[in-house]
Amino acid sequence: DRFDITAKAAAPATAPTLRAMLGTLLAERFKLVFHRDTKERKSLVLVVAKGGPKLRSSEEDGPGVLKPNKGRMVAQHASMSEFIGTLSGPLRAPVVDKTELTGRYDFTVDLSSYFADVKPGEQPDMTAIVMSALREQLGLNLESRKETVEILVIDHVEKIPSQN
């Protein structure tokens, strides 16, 4: 089942605060109960490619900003863990950071040129496209491996949410 959830914070909030608020909303409305566990799964591991990373250290302070825009990802003052968070969804696989890059970086990843070879009506191979772009533009490799990753296990959820 799919649900549209519309919620508004009373004041501006950070991403971790918004995630906590969403967790509370799901627990109250859907009686959602879950726990975290670990499991060995096929994953994509981000490592530094031969020749080293092609990342520019950020001179800014503050939280990282990652902005998707028409086949491009513009990162400002972003950590590798923040960047990894944007990769898991489109790649439909857990992504694990093994780069050992601890700084904050400014960079752009442009995927648009990689879609030129995709024929109309065909589904692009997002994993291959992202792997090529990361290697060529950022000096990073994505490798397929079995890794222990954190998972969420749903213990209980009700199909019909409670009312406002």
Side-chain angles (χ1 to χ4, degrees):
D1 293 338
R2 295 178 181 261
F3 296 89
D4 291 326
I5 298 173
T6 304
K8 185 176 180 180
T14 64
T17 302
L18 289 174
R19 277 193 292 277
M21 292 166 72
L22 179 60
T24 301
L25 182 144
L26 293 172
E28 289 175 358
R29 299 284 171 82
F30 290 89
K31 307 298 184 240
L32 175 66
V33 179
F34 66 90
H35 69 274
R36 296 177 189 275
D37 202 351
T38 57
K39 185 175 184 177
E40 189 171 81
R41 288 190 57 192
K42 183 178 174 185
S43 304
L44 295 169
V45 178
L46 189 67
V47 296
V48 175
K50 289 182 181 179
K54 302 174 186 175
L55 300 168
R56 187 175 70 245
S57 291
S58 180
E59 303 293 325
E60 298 178 29
D61 289 328
V65 178
L66 292 128
K67 295 184 261 187
N69 184 3
K70 297 181 182 175
R72 297 175 66 196
M73 171 65 71
V74 178
Q76 298 169 314
H77 195 63
S79 67
M80 283 297 108
S81 64
E82 290 166 331
F83 181 50
I84 292 277
T86 67
L87 294 175
S88 295
L91 296 176
R92 299 176 188 239
V95 180
V96 179
D97 179 18
K98 298 278 183 163
T99 63
E100 298 182 7
L101 297 171
T102 58
R104 292 194 164 267
Y105 305 94
D106 297 329
F107 58 87
T108 299
V109 179
D110 188 350
L111 303 178
S112 58
S113 65
Y114 299 90
F115 290 104
D117 296 333
V118 178
K119 294 180 178 114
E122 280 187 358
Q123 287 288 355
D125 182 349
M126 285 304 295
T127 303
I129 288 171
V130 171
M131 287 174 114
S132 295
L134 293 180
R135 183 177 49 256
E136 294 166 11
Q137 298 173 30
L138 301 182
L140 302 173
N141 275 341
L142 274 175
E143 300 174 353
S144 183
R145 299 185 197 164
K146 282 205 173 217
E147 287 286 324
T148 301
V149 296
E150 184 177 70
I151 61 171
L152 294 178
V153 179
I154 297 174
D155 300 312
H156 177 81
V157 65
E158 294 185 7
K159 282 188 157 191
I160 301 174
S162 64
Q163 295 297 317
N164 291 338

